[in-house]
Amino acid sequence: MKALVCVKRVIDYNVKPRVKADGTGVDLANVKMSMNPFDEIAVEEAIRLKEKGVVTEIVAVSVGPAKAQETLRTALAMGADRAILVVSEDEVEPLAVAKIIKAVADEEQPGLIITGKQAIDDDANQVGQMVAALLGRPQGTFANEIAVEGDSIVVKREIDGGLETVKLALPAIVTTDLRLNEPRYASLPNIMKAKSKPLATKAPADYGVDIAPRLKTLKVTEPPVRSAGIKVPDVDALVAKLKEMGVA
Amino acid sequence: MSKTLVWVEHDNASIKDATLAVVTAAAQIGEVTALVAGAGCDGAAAAAAQIAGVSKVLKADDAAYANALAENVAPLVAGLMADYDAFVAPATTTGKNIAPRVAALLDVMQVSDILSVEGPKTFTRPIYAGNAIATVESTDAKLVVTVRGTAFAKADATGGAAAVETVAAAGDSGTSTFLGSEIAKSERPELTSAKIIVSGGRALKDAETFQSVITPLADKLGAGIGASRAAVDAGYVPNDYQVGQTGKIVAPEVYIAVGISGAIQHLAGMKDSKTIIAINKDEDAPIFQVADIGLVGDLFTLVPELTGKL
């Protein structure tokens, strides 16, 4: 079966974001960008399924600016077979992204769609669930372990109290949690090879999707700053502080 | 006035704490109707009816809702939304699983993890791991919102007297089956509602050391136990202990970070704690930039000493 993996170009997770002085957003000029960490896990899982012989072809898809091509090349270097970039220089909200992914899925007919559980920029945690709803297919969110068994997939999910296991009829949508796997690094030869793998460029209009935002961002501000703390010299001083606060 | 439909998180017999903060948030949007979907959920429906501020309870009792599978529950909610202006759910793993599916069925953009209600359709929410706060206004006809529990006071669990109304089930989608769960057993206060949390990081070395250093201190304080991603990945504790952007978001009275450096992703989960105490041997660790009280030194001597003196 074919696997569709959705990847997003986001600010690198090690960078501390800076809010723009005019309050319109976060300053992304000259900031290091990378593949969303959860999406790396999604790509890795698709590759492992291919290595097991479960998946025959991996198509990586991204909705984003022209530069998201780099993110798709990374997915190709890791092991994806081909890529589709749906270009929009404007930010696209999860609902519109989900509609585009749905349209791509209608064309490609994947047996499995894998996406990260959330992007570390908007922290929305919506796209996978929305794609599942639009396709009318089951969802295995926050996956910790997956196993394809015939025409279904067993997904162990990370939930608040621990883990739960569900069985989903294929085609299905899986969103990855951190502990699903350890993504591999792309080797230099594979990075070179990835340059010649097919990458199709499309526009939202090609899929008939309206990307006009439904949410208006009125402003973006810095979170409240915590007042400076103190350092205590020893345990006795800490105990005294705890007693002062009434917790000990 | 707007009418809101609140997702009640429950175990069929009783409601979970997360719901109470959601009721507070929903009441700021409009009149509150609570939805209890489950199998044999009379107990939960009765408990929901007593929450102060709830004007009506809808009970959908069907085997299909036993484990809150999104495939079965989302169509039920989407159908009920014909009569409501907003669907409000907790930003727990259950709420995060269901709400976006409902939003897509209604063709609206969800507002995730809100911190405050600023207007009828205007909310604040954290982005970039809590390093920025966005104020957003929805232009959709209906709202779908998930609520950060630690950002709202809990509604009183008693004092209300709402009528319970039974609604018809929407059936089983037939595409998903619940096979089982492994719930970590703990006598400790639940992490997201604990008043005090003692949290350990990679510096704890291994599972045994984590237990022997962190647990006695937590016992002494009656605290919940948390962990950084590094400690979870290293296998010191199960993954539901993880505090951070991708784990649990907590805001206790006191958060004691032991051997945690304070990466952006960890801070995202705990920096709204009232008092943060850090014990770390690295004087320059980022955790000290958010800590109210810092103690620099070797945790293997300091923590047992602290436990002994409490």
Side-chain angles (χ1 to χ4, degrees):
Chain A
M1 79 183 165
K2 197 190 281 185
L4 194 67
V5 286
C6 314
V7 298
K8 184 177 186 184
R9 179 178 188 264
V10 298
I11 189 168
D12 188 86
Y13 74 99
N14 281 314
V15 175
K16 187 166 161 51
R18 282 215 324 268
V19 173
K20 283 190 217 165
D22 64 2
T24 55
V26 165
D27 194 357
L28 295 177
N30 304 316
V31 168
K32 187 183 177 210
M33 305 292 277
S34 303
M35 188 190 296
N36 181 42
F38 292 102
D39 304 345
E40 289 184 349
I41 296 170
V43 175
E44 175 66 32
E45 199 64 19
I47 297 165
R48 290 187 188 190
L49 288 171
K50 195 179 173 194
E51 286 166 350
K52 281 185 199 148
V54 177
V55 161
T56 48
E57 188 189 24
I58 301 168
V59 182
V61 55
S62 189
V63 179
K67 280 187 173 168
Q69 198 179 120
E70 295 161 14
T71 311
L72 285 170
R73 290 286 172 208
T74 305
L76 293 170
M78 286 173 75
D81 297 295
R82 58 189 172 88
I84 301 168
L85 174 60
V86 184
V87 180
S88 164
E89 295 301 326
D90 298 322
E91 213 173 302
V92 186
E93 288 174 346
L95 181 63
V97 170
K99 287 178 179 176
I100 292 169
I101 304 289
K102 186 221 180 256
V104 172
D106 284 342
E107 271 181 9
E108 299 282 345
Q109 294 293 321
L112 186 62
I113 302 176
I114 315 180
T115 129
K117 80 164 175 183
Q118 79 192 58
I120 60 165
D121 51 0
D122 64 12
D123 282 330
N125 195 328
Q126 298 177 15
V127 169
Q129 294 90 317
M130 287 179 156
V131 171
L134 296 174
L135 287 169
R137 298 306 308 168
Q139 64 191 47
T141 51
F142 324 137
N144 173 291
E145 202 180 301
I146 64 170
V148 173
E149 295 177 359
D151 56 2
S152 54
I153 182 167
V154 174
V155 182
K156 193 178 269 191
R157 307 179 51 231
E158 296 200 7
I159 57 167
D160 284 333
L163 296 165
E164 77 171 31
T165 310
V166 292
K167 189 173 182 178
L168 313 174
L170 294 172
I173 291 82
V174 167
T175 78
T176 63
D177 216 319
L178 277 173
R179 276 163 287 277
L180 183 58
N181 62 48
E182 191 80 44
R184 70 193 63 190
Y185 289 101
S187 66
L188 190 56
N190 286 343
I191 292 170
M192 298 311 289
K193 264 188 251 170
K195 291 189 192 217
S196 55
K197 287 186 179 176
L199 192 156
T201 305
K202 302 273 193 179
D206 295 339
Y207 299 102
V209 176
D210 173 13
I211 59 162
R214 306 285 189 88
L215 300 181
K216 265 194 287 186
T217 299
L218 304 180
K219 63 177 177 192
V220 175
T221 54
E222 296 267 1
V225 181
R226 293 186 73 94
S227 52
I230 54 155
K231 284 210 173 109
V232 291
D234 54 27
V235 168
D236 289 319
L238 178 55
V239 172
K241 280 279 174 199
L242 286 169
K243 289 202 165 131
E244 219 173 90
M245 291 189 292
V247 297
Chain B
M1 190 180 182
S2 300
K3 292 171 74 183
T4 71
L5 187 64
V6 164
W7 174 261
V8 175
E9 196 152 325
H10 63 88
D11 60 5
N12 287 313
S14 60
I15 54 168
K16 296 198 176 159
D17 253 14
T19 310
L20 301 174
V22 179
V23 168
T24 303
Q28 293 175 20
I29 302 170
E31 193 188 52
V32 179
T33 295
L35 170 64
V36 178
C41 57
D42 284 345
Q50 286 174 35
I51 302 173
V54 172
S55 59
K56 187 158 79 173
V57 175
L58 300 184
K59 185 183 70 164
D61 203 328
D62 192 278
Y65 306 138
N67 299 291
L69 291 170
E71 297 78 10
N72 295 348
V73 164
L76 170 76
V77 177
L80 293 170
M81 282 300 289
D83 297 327
Y84 293 89
D85 305 300
F87 176 61
V88 191
T92 55
T93 48
T94 314
K96 289 192 253 190
N97 189 40
I98 294 165
R101 195 164 174 121
V102 172
L105 292 177
L106 297 173
D107 192 30
V108 308
M109 234 325 269
Q110 171 180 303
V111 187
S112 298
D113 213 13
I114 62 160
L115 300 173
S116 70
V117 179
E118 301 289 318
K121 290 193 166 190
T122 308
F123 309 93
T124 62
R125 60 174 305 264
I127 53 175
Y128 291 89
N131 284 293
I133 309 294
T135 305
V136 297
E137 183 184 9
S138 170
T139 60
D140 282 316
K142 292 187 190 287
L143 288 168
V144 174
V145 171
T146 63
V147 174
R148 176 169 291 196
T150 56
F152 291 86
K154 291 191 178 83
D156 284 330
T158 55
V164 178
E165 197 176 291
T166 301
V167 294
D172 194 320
S173 76
T175 55
S176 61
T177 321
F178 178 83
L179 295 185
S181 62
E182 301 156 44
I183 301 298
K185 285 260 179 290
S186 173
E187 300 295 308
R188 291 184 183 285
E190 204 227 334
L191 210 48
T192 50
S193 56
K195 286 210 156 52
I196 305 173
I197 293 173
V198 181
S199 211
R202 194 201 305 270
L204 272 308
K205 272 195 199 137
D206 53 42
E208 292 72 39
T209 318
F210 192 100
Q211 281 295 332
S212 65
V213 174
I214 298 294
T215 310
L217 177 58
D219 286 342
K220 235 359 183 313
L221 295 167
I225 295 181
S228 68
R229 181 187 166 191
V232 173
D233 282 352
Y236 305 173
V237 288
N239 52 31
D240 52 304
Y241 282 55
Q242 187 183 321
V243 171
Q245 182 184 21
T246 60
K248 295 206 168 88
I249 313 285
V250 299
E253 298 279 310
V254 182
Y255 187 92
I256 306 180
V258 178
I260 291 176
S261 64
I264 294 175
Q265 293 79 10
H266 186 74
L267 299 183
M270 45 63 80
K271 69 184 161 120
D272 293 325
S273 305
K274 197 152 173 233
T275 303
I276 297 171
I277 298 172
I279 301 175
N280 204 303
K281 68 171 186 219
D282 175 10
E283 203 171 338
D284 299 320
I287 191 77
F288 287 119
Q289 290 164 21
V290 298
D292 301 282
I293 305 170
L295 179 57
V296 180
D298 180 19
L299 67 93
F300 296 106
T301 55
L302 293 176
V303 177
E305 188 189 343
L306 174 61
T307 308
K309 284 179 174 167
L310 286 173

